[in-house]
Amino acid sequence: MYSSPFNSFQGSSSSPTMEQNNEDVEQLNYNEERADEMSEEEIEIIEDDGNEGGQQVDGDGGAGPFEKKQRKKKSSIWDDMTEVVLDNGTVKVKCNHCKELFTKSTTGATSQHKRHLTSCLQRKMAIGEQSKQKQQVLSFTEGGSDGITSITNFSYDHAKVRELASHMILEHEYPFSMMEHVVFNKFMKAVSPFYKKINRQTVKEDCMSTYTIEKRKLKSLLKGAGRISITTDLWKSGQKIQYMVVTGHFIDSDWVLQKRVLNFCNVSPPHTGVIIADALSKCFIDWGIENKVASITVDNASYNDVCIRRLREDFSLRKRLSIGGKIFHVRCCAHILNLLVQDGLGQLGGVIDVVREGIKYLNNSEFRLLEFAKIKKQLQLPSRKLILDCPTRWNSTYLMLASGLEFKDVFPRYADIDPGFHYAPTDFEWMKVEEVCKFLGIFHEITDMISGSEYPTANIFLVELYRIKELLNEKALDPFEHIRAMAGSMSAKFDKYWGESNVLLSLGAILDPRYKMFLINHAFPVIYGEDAAPRFMAEIRDILYELYNEYVDCHVVSHSEQQRQVVKRRQNEGSTSSSKKQKMTAPAVLTGKEKFHMHVSEIDRAPPEKSDLDVYLEESRYACDARANLDVLGWWKGERLRFPILSRMAADILSVPVTTVASESTFSAGGRVIDDRQASMSVETVQMLLCGNDWIRSLHGLKNKSRESLDVAESITFEEVELPESFND
């Protein structure tokens, strides 16, 4: 006989409370059946035992001396049912729990009433409440990082379930209809019999409520933040709607770099710089950060130049630009690297096209892949897949060439058995591919390094920029003509974008205790040449001190305001005398502690012999292993008492991202949310889902690193061509 694997769960309930409910119901049914089996003599003995002293107890509890005595009701159903007389005089039996009426049998039979009580849901719930008072169900709540687990009495909270369901939908990018899936609801019923089904409209409204709550929290967080850096980009969805994402980057009170998606909104055409600037201004005002924006990182699209110029003018009128706006416009370094490498690859179009078309030819037929895999197995090559690139993404082109290089011995052998395969590069062409891969491998590593948003990037790119320029200078003298051509084309693009003073990258490097001015002195002669380097070095030093003096002025103003607040508070307190007149005329009295604090503040405001910046630059650099990943923000947090002004400046500079990867990763999420089945969603719903996704991940402490690495991989847009493992010889 077949036994189901789920049979072991039959008869069990999901909680001790439900088990107790079933036991109580079964016991009551047993008592009722036992009462029917007892003889009248046994019942009378029980009645006599309950009526000691010879007192007569009437069935209705109140029969007069001239009334016929009613027979006592023996069945236990009357503990849960009552006889009632309707207006027309009909006698009915009413369930005390669900209030349902039944016909009273003239023979006194109670079987139908017993059957009802056995299945009455309201009665089961009442028995459950009684049992709940006897034994509580324990609920275990996992603690945070301290690992402490709290134990409390379980109480089903449907409001909390709805709240967490909205978090689940937002974080995991589930459709609203998931809450109506049949098996999901059965699963939830098995988890808790108290669970109530949530329909798609309810969960959508709950997601909107969560979005509103988290937006209010984020506004409060931004209010306490210092300066905020912005990344933004445009993206066209499958709805044919153009969206703009706005992401804010800032350092919180714990000196942790934070990233939040502020807006994911529709921008109506035409997408000119003026319209985009207006949309950004509305976003800043909505979030209350119009006076806190320190920089905006964008790609090299022409409309972005117009947009940033318009915003810089607006900020200048409000006098909210630091150092004349020299770090306000940040160009995406990853985008510049893409342009730079694409120019270099343009010098090798022939061999790249041969490899690409060869992989396409193989991928168009399963039989071709099988034959190709046979040869690979004969040569005992470990690699199992080819990569087909996206021509506009140099990262994917590099990966395609690197994967093809591993099969360079297979291509000519396959050409011998397939007359239609004309895509076998020559040995010289494979040598060119190998040299190009070595060359581009460095750029691939640098792109991965600067594409993070969970750690500062402004301090780590200058040293890589120096490495790139040094490599280009070296390859300009390479014996191979195609490498020299690549290096020459890439050097021209390098000088176009990085041939002038790179203020943000230089300031970030100086504020890294591992580099300070040592890196500037070493890298600038390579990047700008021996003749121009001293001029750029002096310019960066002047900008550094100009920015520091702005922070000193803000620090002095802040201290003065604090002192005024102390004096004002003491004046408002007045004298403690009971006389009203004395209260009005008594002078404000400062405590000794407050007077000393004011004296020390005066000393602090006085210019010291050496500023924080002078002391920092004169000290030796922080020595550590070259491969070690220093937590730069953590270092400044530990030194904030020694460098109170400079540490604040460092936090603001280090929070500026040098790429727009944080915004592009949101577009990857947008492509998953706005699929073919959900293309009809309104722009408000799209913004709620994508902003809510980012905020809920932060709320629950879910790291975005793994998600962003996935998003970066998706942005490369390549196709993996798997080779079959098994085939018939």
Side-chain angles (χ1 to χ4, degrees):
M1 181 177 180
Y2 172 75
S3 176
S4 171
F6 299 100
N7 286 346
S8 59
F9 297 98
Q10 291 179 358
S12 64
S13 61
S14 60
S15 69
T17 299
M18 294 302 299
E19 291 180 2
Q20 184 67 31
N21 293 353
N22 295 336
E23 292 174 2
D24 291 347
V25 171
E26 291 173 0
Q27 181 64 38
L28 184 57
N29 292 338
Y30 170 80
N31 292 341
E32 293 169 351
E33 294 171 359
R34 176 72 179 126
D36 292 338
E37 296 172 357
M38 294 172 64
S39 64
E40 292 184 2
E41 290 81 8
E42 291 175 317
I43 295 174
E44 289 177 358
I45 292 173
I46 296 175
E47 291 177 349
D48 291 339
D49 291 340
N51 297 312
E52 295 179 0
Q55 296 178 3
Q56 296 288 337
V57 179
D58 299 328
D60 57 4
F66 301 102
E67 295 178 352
K68 183 179 179 180
K69 295 182 180 179
Q70 299 291 329
R71 182 182 177 185
K72 182 181 178 180
K73 299 180 177 63
K74 301 183 293 294
S75 178
S76 60
I77 68 161
W78 301 111
D79 295 334
D80 300 281
M81 289 190 163
T82 308
E83 286 186 4
V84 294
V85 180
L86 302 183
D87 295 337
N88 58 5
T90 305
V91 179
K92 295 284 186 180
V93 177
K94 182 178 71 173
C95 176
N96 296 339
H97 303 285
C98 64
K99 310 305 181 184
E100 187 175 351
L101 297 176
F102 301 89
T103 303
K104 182 180 179 181
S105 173
T106 56
T107 63
T110 58
S111 298
Q112 62 167 333
H113 308 321
K114 292 177 184 178
R115 287 194 295 269
H116 168 74
L117 292 177
T118 303
S119 61
C120 180
L121 182 60
Q122 297 295 330
R123 177 171 175 264
K124 289 182 178 181
M125 292 177 62
I127 295 175
E129 289 298 323
Q130 296 173 3
S131 301
K132 191 175 179 182
Q133 296 176 2
K134 301 176 183 177
Q135 179 178 358
Q136 296 287 346
V137 181
L138 298 182
S139 173
F140 296 85
T141 304
E142 294 184 1
S145 59
D146 54 6
I148 298 176
T149 301
S150 61
I151 302 176
T152 58
N153 290 331
F154 171 77
S155 176
Y156 179 77
D157 187 349
H158 191 60
K160 187 66 176 178
V161 171
R162 286 175 54 181
E163 179 188 2
L164 291 177
S166 69
H167 291 189
M168 178 185 68
I169 294 293
L170 291 171
E171 199 280 320
H172 295 291
E173 302 166 3
Y174 293 147
F176 299 131
S177 60
M178 178 198 166
M179 302 304 298
E180 297 180 345
H181 290 177
V182 175
V183 177
F184 173 76
N185 280 276
K186 288 184 176 181
F187 165 73
M188 292 304 299
K189 274 291 187 181
V191 171
S192 173
F194 303 107
Y195 174 75
K196 302 174 185 176
K197 182 179 178 181
I198 305 172
N199 60 45
R200 67 179 70 191
Q201 184 60 36
T202 299
V203 76
K204 180 180 179 180
E205 294 171 357
D206 291 343
C207 286
M208 187 61 73
S209 299
T210 296
Y211 168 82
T212 304
I213 293 170
E214 295 304 316
K215 183 175 182 179
R216 192 180 306 119
K217 291 180 183 177
L218 183 54
K219 275 189 175 182
S220 177
L221 181 62
L222 292 175
K223 188 178 297 184
R227 300 191 181 185
I228 300 171
S229 300
I230 300 295
T231 57
T232 183
D233 206 351
L234 293 180
W235 173 70
K236 180 176 287 188
S237 71
Q239 304 167 300
K240 308 302 180 184
I241 296 176
Q242 198 86 10
Y243 287 96
M244 179 180 71
V245 62
V246 182
T247 309
H249 307 257
F250 58 95
I251 306 296
D252 65 14
S253 58
D254 293 326
W255 288 75
V256 176
L257 180 61
Q258 299 289 345
K259 173 189 73 71
R260 297 289 190 279
V261 177
L262 303 181
N263 271 45
F264 195 92
C265 55
N266 168 240
V267 179
S268 302
H271 303 116
T272 63
V274 175
I275 291 178
I276 295 173
D278 183 58
L280 285 173
S281 296
K282 291 179 179 178
C283 170
F284 299 157
I285 294 173
D286 177 49
W287 284 96
I289 59 174
E290 63 272 17
N291 294 327
K292 292 189 174 188
V293 175
S295 67
I296 303 179
T297 304
V298 293
D299 61 24
N300 294 308
S302 58
Y303 57 77
N304 282 329
D305 293 337
V306 177
C307 169
I308 299 300
R309 184 168 60 250
R310 177 71 174 266
L311 290 173
R312 182 188 280 117
E313 293 172 357
D314 293 344
F315 277 65
S316 297
L317 292 176
R318 300 199 304 269
K319 298 181 179 181
R320 292 294 178 180
L321 283 180
S322 293
I323 51 176
K326 293 183 178 67
I327 59 173
F328 185 73
H329 183 188
V330 180
R331 296 185 183 274
C332 175
C333 293
H335 191 262
I336 297 175
L337 276 179
N338 184 57
L339 297 176
L340 188 145
V341 177
Q342 288 288 0
D343 273 17
L345 292 176
Q347 305 297 320
L348 303 171
V351 64
I352 294 175
D353 290 339
V354 170
V355 176
R356 180 183 296 125
E357 294 302 320
I359 297 175
K360 284 182 180 179
Y361 180 86
L362 294 171
N363 195 36
N364 285 336
S365 169
E366 183 68 21
F367 175 76
R368 296 169 186 169
L369 289 176
L370 284 171
E371 294 299 316
F372 194 87
K374 284 182 182 181
I375 301 173
K376 185 223 42 156
K377 184 176 182 180
Q378 292 171 0
L379 296 176
Q380 297 181 351
L381 299 178
S383 300
R384 294 174 48 192
K385 63 185 177 183
L386 293 163
I387 289 178
L388 186 60
D389 74 331
C390 172
T392 60
R393 296 280 187 171
W394 79 267
N395 314 59
S396 63
T397 303
Y398 162 76
L399 294 175
M400 180 189 70
L401 294 177
S403 68
L405 193 61
E406 297 176 353
F407 296 94
K408 67 178 182 179
D409 295 328
V410 182
F411 276 81
R413 287 172 172 79
Y414 180 80
D416 293 339
I417 63 174
D418 187 349
F421 187 75
H422 307 293
Y423 310 106
T426 64
D427 291 341
F428 179 72
E429 288 176 327
W430 279 123
M431 183 191 66
K432 291 172 65 174
V433 170
E434 186 172 3
E435 291 296 325
V436 169
C437 287
K438 291 179 181 178
F439 188 23
L440 297 183
I442 296 176
F443 292 88
H444 188 68
E445 292 177 8
I446 294 173
T447 301
D448 286 345
M449 184 183 302
I450 65 175
S451 296
S453 60
E454 298 294 324
Y455 52 86
T457 54
N459 59 311
I460 63 176
F461 190 61
L462 183 66
V463 66
E464 303 303 333
L465 195 67
Y466 147 75
R467 181 187 179 192
I468 291 173
K469 183 61 175 178
E470 190 176 47
L471 180 64
L472 292 176
N473 293 340
E474 176 187 333
K475 294 300 180 181
L477 306 175
D478 195 271
F480 296 102
E481 182 180 355
H482 63 280
I483 296 295
R484 292 199 303 272
M486 280 188 65
S489 177
M490 295 170 72
S491 292
K493 189 71 69 174
F494 183 98
D495 293 336
K496 176 181 178 181
Y497 289 105
W498 290 317
E500 298 180 357
S501 180
N502 300 284
V503 177
L504 174 66
L505 303 180
S506 302
L507 293 179
I510 293 171
L511 294 172
D512 189 322
R514 297 170 294 180
Y515 304 137
K516 298 190 177 183
M517 288 297 296
F518 296 95
L519 178 60
I520 302 296
N521 298 334
H522 179 69
F524 273 31
V526 177
I527 297 175
Y528 305 113
E530 295 288 346
D531 296 333
R535 175 171 61 86
F536 286 116
M537 290 164 62
E539 178 183 337
I540 287 297
R541 194 176 186 91
D542 292 341
I543 292 174
L544 176 65
Y545 274 88
E546 180 185 354
L547 180 61
Y548 175 76
N549 290 331
E550 289 183 6
Y551 276 82
V552 171
D553 294 339
C554 292
H555 181 75
V556 171
V557 171
S558 176
H559 268 260
S560 300
E561 181 63 27
Q562 289 178 3
Q563 288 185 10
R564 284 196 293 269
Q565 291 295 332
V566 171
V567 174
K568 184 177 180 180
R569 177 172 57 82
R570 298 299 298 175
Q571 289 176 344
N572 291 337
E573 290 177 358
S575 174
T576 57
S577 172
S578 58
S579 171
K580 183 176 180 180
K581 182 177 181 180
Q582 286 180 339
K583 286 184 180 180
M584 297 295 294
T585 60
V589 178
L590 294 175
T591 64
K593 184 177 180 180
E594 290 171 333
K595 293 184 67 176
F596 176 75
H597 179 73
M598 294 179 64
H599 173 69
V600 172
S601 298
E602 291 290 340
I603 297 176
D604 290 341
R605 283 193 299 165
E609 296 181 2
K610 288 186 177 181
S611 66
D612 287 1
L613 183 56
D614 292 329
V615 174
Y616 170 76
L617 295 177
E618 289 176 3
E619 291 181 350
S620 59
R621 68 183 187 85
Y622 180 82
C624 64
D625 187 84
R627 298 181 180 179
N629 293 322
L630 175 66
D631 180 6
V632 180
L633 288 175
W635 187 90
W636 278 109
K637 179 182 180 181
E639 299 291 333
R640 68 187 185 279
L641 297 180
R642 219 161 52 95
F643 304 117
I645 301 175
L646 186 61
S647 62
R648 190 67 261 170
M649 185 179 93
D652 292 336
I653 292 297
L654 293 174
S655 67
V656 180
V658 298
T659 69
T660 59
V661 169
S663 295
E664 292 177 1
S665 65
T666 307
F667 295 149
S668 298
R672 295 189 297 268
V673 171
I674 312 173
D675 57 16
D676 295 337
R677 293 175 298 176
Q678 302 185 89
S680 61
M681 286 191 298
S682 66
V683 293
E684 293 80 11
T685 302
V686 171
Q687 172 164 276
M688 176 265 290
L689 290 174
L690 293 175
C691 291
N693 171 271
D694 181 73
W695 301 345
I696 293 301
R697 290 184 67 84
S698 299
L699 174 67
H700 293 286
L702 301 174
K703 294 293 184 181
N704 291 320
K705 186 175 182 181
S706 59
R707 170 63 61 84
E708 286 175 358
S709 62
L710 173 64
D711 294 334
V712 172
E714 289 177 355
S715 67
I716 295 176
T717 323
F718 59 77
E719 180 183 354
E720 292 184 346
V721 181
E722 292 282 350
L723 297 178
E725 290 186 11
S726 61
F727 46 82
N728 296 323
D729 294 326

